[in-house]
């Protein structure tokens, strides 16, 4: 057995951990549920079956590609069913499965937690930004602007509750 340097050993351990995380069922499912478009689609479908066009209007900002990919992923995971009605034009409906419906209380709980604690999170962010700005000699306003570049999704889950 060849000896390894500490750096080589740390790299091997990091790769093993990454492989563990990649194969962990919880991690894989959280990756799916945590996707912005997936969550919004689940909420949009919580009231019943929807056609693709209806979903694209209910989830503004999602490109056709992202909407299609997200719906296919939800169908693959058994959270959504896709029904095709042969007509002219062809009618395609998407609907939550029992498994998808069982996920709604989890989304509702996350929404409620966010509403309850968002002020605390906001205060923690402001404290962090101010402390970081002080350490690196930057202005807190610039740090906040940089944070907002990613966009604000406040209120997107309003229909879950």
């Amino acid at each position: 057995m060849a000896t390894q340097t500490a750096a080589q050993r740390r790299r091997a351990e990091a790769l093993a951990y990454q492989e563990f995380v990649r194969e962990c069922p919880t991690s894989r499912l959280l990756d799916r549920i945590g996707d912005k478009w997936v969550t919004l689609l689940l909420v949009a479908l919580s009231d019943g079956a929807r056609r693709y066009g209806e979903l694209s209007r209910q989830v503004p900002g999602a490109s056709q590609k992202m909407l299609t990919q997200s719906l296919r992923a939800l169908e693959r995971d058994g959270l959504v069913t896709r029904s095709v009605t042969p007509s002219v034009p062809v009618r395609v409906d998407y609907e939550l499965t029992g498994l998808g419906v069982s996920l709604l209380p989890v989304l509702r709980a996350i929404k409620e937690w966010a509403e309850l604690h968002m002020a605390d999170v906001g205060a923690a962010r402001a404290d962090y930004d101010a402390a970081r700005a002080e350490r690196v000699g930057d202005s807190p306003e610039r740090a906040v602007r940089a944070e907002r570049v990613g966009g604000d999704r406040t209120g997107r889950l309003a229909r879950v509750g």
Side-chain angles (χ1 to χ4, degrees):
M1 175 188 335
T3 57
Q4 293 181 330
T5 65
Q8 289 170 328
R9 189 176 63 254
R10 281 193 302 272
R11 178 159 165 63
E13 289 169 357
L15 289 173
Y17 179 75
Q18 289 170 2
E19 185 59 32
F20 167 75
V21 170
R22 186 174 20 261
E23 295 303 316
C24 173
T26 304
S27 184
R28 289 174 29 203
L29 191 57
L30 285 175
D31 280 346
R32 173 77 66 233
I33 296 168
D35 180 86
K36 173 176 148 180
W37 305 119
V38 164
T39 305
L40 295 173
L41 283 168
L42 290 171
V43 172
L45 290 167
S46 65
D47 291 334
R50 298 276 185 266
R51 294 179 75 172
Y52 184 91
E54 292 174 295
L55 289 172
S56 67
R57 284 188 294 279
Q58 281 189 286
V59 183
S63 68
Q64 182 177 353
K65 176 184 175 185
M66 288 310 302
L67 202 57
T68 300
Q69 285 179 347
S70 298
L71 286 166
R72 283 184 184 155
L74 286 169
E75 185 179 8
R76 180 174 183 248
D77 289 344
L79 300 172
V80 168
T81 59
R82 179 179 183 264
S83 304
V84 178
T85 305
S87 61
V88 178
V90 174
R91 179 184 174 103
V92 180
D93 292 294
Y94 295 90
E95 187 173 15
L96 290 178
T97 63
L99 191 59
V101 170
S102 72
L103 189 55
L104 293 176
V106 175
L107 295 176
R108 198 169 291 120
I110 291 170
K111 175 189 172 278
E112 290 168 3
W113 184 92
E115 289 172 346
L116 186 63
H117 296 288
M118 198 56 219
D120 299 327
V121 171
R125 286 177 178 177
D127 291 347
Y128 177 89
D129 291 343
R132 183 170 185 271
E134 189 175 302
R135 282 193 308 271
V136 298
D138 207 354
S139 72
E141 294 80 19
R142 183 172 174 188
V144 170
R145 279 194 306 274
E147 179 67 27
R148 288 187 183 154
V149 168
D152 181 16
R153 291 186 250 160
T154 305
R156 286 276 179 94
L157 293 178
R159 294 189 46 240
V160 173

